[in-house]
């Protein structure tokens, strides 16, 4: 089965073609980072308009790259939520109308489930032994999920305030590093002195699997304000202290989740799972096998939507012609695959 995947939940237009027999055929991505740079954050209306501009040429490109035509597509998967309403509607309307015109099914996909499944693209689904634990860490979410079966998710813990990626982005902004902050902080941290500052590890001194990252960001703000004009070394040192504390906090909670569930594998997914320190520390400090996607499949992309769509459509999932997007959508409401 060949599925076309369309991702448009935030500031990236991602399109891909996935073949359930031969794996990922092609993918194309357009980032809107430059478009929103002057505004200090994603402007929803500008995001929607840019998705409208890019979605057709990107679809044409993935077909061309894979040497396929529309007639080769068996189904279209699109991100139905969570995300920005207008941005989601662009992908959903495009996917539904194209699918209707071609006489193939369209299916709305949960963006975080797609992140969770991304490490399985181009592997066998039995590469993961159920049940396992997943750490979903992106710009909008930080969640520990007990995956009992594909589609059967129990939230073990989540952030009570900022997501981990959001804390990276806000800290990078106050250091003048630009967006997205995660890779910029990681790059600076490599030059930093890890011993100069010690940032807190929020909510690790009490039991439980919830996270809080807003205090860490405030701690970074207070540190920056106490330093006055920042030197290059200050920026690198604050970046190192922040990254070490954020990663340490995630590692402590992941270890607890593994102990609590007895799971043998920990999947890490979402933009922050691209972080090299996080991958290395988890591998070093946990007994469970750490599983993650290749870098290009950690941040938002169309391939993960095409893949999740293929799994669900092959499992028999269907929907009617109406367009249902869900800006907020708990993963626990999904049906099993
Ligand atoms: O999954 P994603 O592309 O979009 C959302 O669904 O939110 O995640 C984006 C987030 C951003 O906050 C970005 O700063 C963070 O992932 N990120 C990283 C790294 N690469 C991206 N955070 C830490 N280290 C990285 N290398
Ligand atoms: Zn995402």
């Amino acid at each position: 089965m060949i599925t076309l995947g369309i991702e448009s939940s935030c500031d990236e237009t991602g399109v891909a073609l996935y073949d359930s027999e031969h794996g990922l055929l092609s993918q194309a991505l357009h980032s809107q980072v430059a478009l929103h740079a002057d505004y200090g954050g994603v402007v929803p209306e500008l995001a929607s308009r840019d998705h409208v501009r890019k979605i057709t040429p990107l679809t044409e490109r993935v077909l061309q790259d894979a040497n396929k035509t529309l007639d080769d597509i068996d189904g279209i998967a699109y991100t139905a939520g969570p995300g920005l309403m207008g941005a989601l509607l662009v992908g959903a309307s495009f996917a539904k109308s194209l699918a209707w015109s071609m006489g193939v099914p369209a299916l709305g996909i949960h963006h975080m489930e797609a992140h969770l499944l991304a490490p399985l693209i181009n592997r066998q689904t039995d590469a993961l032994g159920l049940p396992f634990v997943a750490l979903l860490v992106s710009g909008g979410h930080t969640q520990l999920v007990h995956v009992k079966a594909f589609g059967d998710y129990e939230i073990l813990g989540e952030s009570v305030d900022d997501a981990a990626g959001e804390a990276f982005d806000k800290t990078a902004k106050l250091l003048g590093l630009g967006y997205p902050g995660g890779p910029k902080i990681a790059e600076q941290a490599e030059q930093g002195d890890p011993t100069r500052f010690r940032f807190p590890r929020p909510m690790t001194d009490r039991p439980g699997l919830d996270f809080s990252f807003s205090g860490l960001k405030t701690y970074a703000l207070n540190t920056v304000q106490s330093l006055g004009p920042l030197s290059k070394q200050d920026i690198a040192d604050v970046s190192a202290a922040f990254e070490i504390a954020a990663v340490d906090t995630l590692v402590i909670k992941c270890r607890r989740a593994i102990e609590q569930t007895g799971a043998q594998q920990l999947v890490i997914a979402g933009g922050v799972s691209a972080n090299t320190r996080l991958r290395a520390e988890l591998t070093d400090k946990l007994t469970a096998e750490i599983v993650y996607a290749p870098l290009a499949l950690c941040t938002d992309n169309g391939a993960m939507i095409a893949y999740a769509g293929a799994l669900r459509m092959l499992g028999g999932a269907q929907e009617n012609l109406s367009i249902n997007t869900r800006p907020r959508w708990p993963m626990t409401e999904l049906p099993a695959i």
Side-chain angles (χ1 to χ4, degrees), residues 12 111-112 115 137-140 165-166 168-169 179-183 186 243 270-272 274-276 298-300:
E12 244 126 23
H111 181 84
M112 297 313 292
H115 271 305
V137 263
S138 69
E166 191 180 354
F168 269 95
D169 294 336
Y179 178 87
E243 187 185 45
V272 183
N275 187 276
T276 316
C298 289
T299 44
D300 291 351

Side-chain angles (χ1 to χ4, degrees), residues 241-259:
F242 173 84
E243 187 185 45
I244 290 168
V247 165
D248 211 19
T249 305
L250 292 169
V251 170
I252 291 167
K253 299 282 171 158
C254 285
R255 193 198 291 129
R256 268 187 212 170
I258 292 294
E259 280 166 10

